Amino acid sequence: MRPLLLYAPNLKRYETDFLDSRKGWKSISVTGTYCAFNCKHCGRRVLESMIDGSAQDKIEKEVMEAVNRGDEGIILSGGSTLRGDVPIWKYSNLLKRYSDKLTIIAHTGVVKNEEIAMKFKESGVKIALLDMISDNDAIRDILGQPFTVNDYLNSFKYLKKVGIKIVPHIILGLSKKGLEGDLESIRLLQEVNPDALIIVGLMPLVGTQMNNSRPPTPEEMIVALKTARDTFPNIPINLGCARPRGKSYLEVEKFAVDYDIDAIAFPEDETYEYAKGKREIFLSYACCGNVVFDIFKVITS
């Protein structure tokens, strides 16, 4: 079986005998809590949990502290501009000074052309994260955005063309077409040849318009993981950090172990014990998107 990578970035409080997220890569919002859109499933709440990097002095302080701590990388995120992209590139001069010391992983948002993609490249971004949505109705009605499925697909193409690794996220439970819409998102990505793929699940957040929405069931998450693995047998497939929790979802993690899913973020203690003896385990404090680099280090070590 493939090696199994377990991740614990500094995105939430997570302490086990084998991983402690306080040591993990930090997540910084370059826009603070601002976003041009007010997605029904997020409502800008996700930005509140990130470190505020909305000014030059703030982000420089965080980047320098990451280097001084010996962190290997950082996660840059933030709200979108009206154009769709997260304006990480506005700190390009600062970030590229540290790009040889830190692996910069970025949530890019929608990238409308190659020129914008190149701005991310010039900022030292090595890995780009962006949700893949297969449903124009969901983009309009849930995300509140004037974009299309093709805009999302083209974003990956532009980023890949300039030499950035692309790691799409599939948010199960977001499509208005149900599970079939989520699975269609996976299939559409064959057009862009992703470097890795991360499966996550809708987590209804208090204070958002989708607070009472139904999260994906464990069975639906297992179907999505199987579809992703079968569709993309030669790239890393991850069970990402943003997903429903609870006793019933332990079966999702066990399936991931048994079906050669490459990585799990914030695994349960029971999963760690279950994986012992089945697969060779490697621990990391990076964002799980870094699997595109980690997997080769593991294989060649």
Side-chain angles (χ1 to χ4, degrees):
M1 297 187 81
R2 301 168 186 246
L4 175 64
L5 293 95
L6 304 180
Y7 287 93
N10 189 241
L11 297 176
K12 70 172 189 175
R13 186 69 177 269
Y14 174 83
E15 294 179 54
T16 67
D17 290 338
F18 52 94
L19 282 171
D20 184 341
S21 65
R22 289 175 295 184
K23 302 176 184 177
W25 292 16
K26 304 299 186 289
S27 181
I28 304 166
S29 170
V30 300
T31 64
T33 57
Y34 171 79
C35 181
F37 305 104
N38 188 25
C39 301
K40 291 181 179 179
H41 72 297
C42 172
R44 307 187 182 102
R45 293 296 308 278
V46 174
L47 298 175
E48 295 172 5
S49 64
M50 299 178 187
I51 297 169
D52 183 3
S54 58
Q56 178 84 13
D57 59 333
K58 293 179 179 179
I59 194 167
E60 184 164 18
K61 172 180 174 290
E62 296 301 330
V63 170
M64 290 180 65
E65 286 183 358
V67 171
N68 292 335
R69 278 192 305 268
D71 294 353
E72 294 181 357
I74 54 173
I75 309 162
L76 296 182
S77 189
S80 298
T81 65
L82 284 172
R83 188 174 57 185
D85 50 289
V86 178
I88 288 161
W89 40 262
K90 69 181 180 179
Y91 297 124
S92 178
N93 290 335
L94 165 67
L95 294 172
K96 64 187 177 184
R97 296 204 307 266
Y98 294 94
S99 61
D100 61 335
K101 299 180 179 67
L102 294 168
T103 297
I104 300 175
I105 295 180
H107 290 89
T108 62
V110 173
V111 177
K112 296 302 291 288
N113 54 54
E114 188 177 335
E115 180 183 359
I116 299 170
M118 185 56 70
K119 287 184 178 182
F120 285 104
K121 176 73 171 178
E122 292 170 349
S123 300
V125 174
K126 297 290 193 302
I127 301 171
L129 312 179
L130 173 63
D131 302 331
M132 180 60 217
I133 315 293
S134 68
D135 183 348
N136 284 326
D137 290 338
I139 295 171
R140 182 189 66 242
D141 298 337
I142 296 176
L143 305 186
Q145 296 176 344
F147 309 126
T148 65
V149 172
N150 281 335
D151 288 326
Y152 275 79
L153 282 171
N154 287 334
S155 297
F156 293 115
K157 294 176 183 178
Y158 292 133
L159 290 161
K160 198 172 184 74
K161 186 174 181 180
V162 302
I164 297 175
K165 301 288 188 183
I166 57 170
V167 182
H169 284 53
I170 305 294
I171 306 178
L172 302 179
L174 195 62
S175 174
K176 298 187 76 172
K177 298 177 182 177
L179 179 61
E180 185 52 41
D182 298 327
L183 300 182
E184 178 64 14
S185 294
I186 296 172
R187 290 188 282 265
L188 282 173
L189 286 169
Q190 294 176 94
E191 188 177 328
V192 302
N193 298 314
D195 296 286
L197 177 60
I198 299 177
I199 302 296
V200 295
L202 179 68
M203 298 187 300
L205 298 176
V206 175
T208 68
Q209 296 181 62
M210 295 185 70
N211 179 37
N212 295 317
S213 299
R214 181 184 72 83
T217 66
E219 293 75 20
E220 288 170 335
M221 296 198 70
I222 287 171
V223 169
L225 285 171
K226 184 178 187 301
T227 301
R229 176 79 288 158
D230 294 347
T231 305
F232 296 102
N234 298 318
I235 67 170
I237 305 295
N238 296 4
L239 180 58
C241 58
R243 64 181 192 272
R245 300 283 173 165
K247 187 175 180 180
S248 62
Y249 288 93
L250 182 59
E251 293 307 310
V252 179
E253 296 187 13
K254 288 182 176 180
F255 175 84
V257 172
D258 291 335
Y259 208 69
D260 255 359
I261 300 304
D262 296 272
I264 303 174
F266 303 125
E268 300 292 345
D269 288 350
E270 294 91 338
T271 301
Y272 180 71
E273 295 299 324
Y274 181 76
K276 284 182 178 178
K278 288 176 173 280
R279 297 172 65 176
E280 189 174 9
I281 297 173
F282 295 86
L283 307 177
S284 175
Y285 291 109
C287 164
C288 77
N290 202 55
V291 71
V292 296
F293 296 132
D294 290 338
I295 197 74
F296 295 109
K297 292 178 185 177
V298 165
I299 291 172
T300 57
S301 63

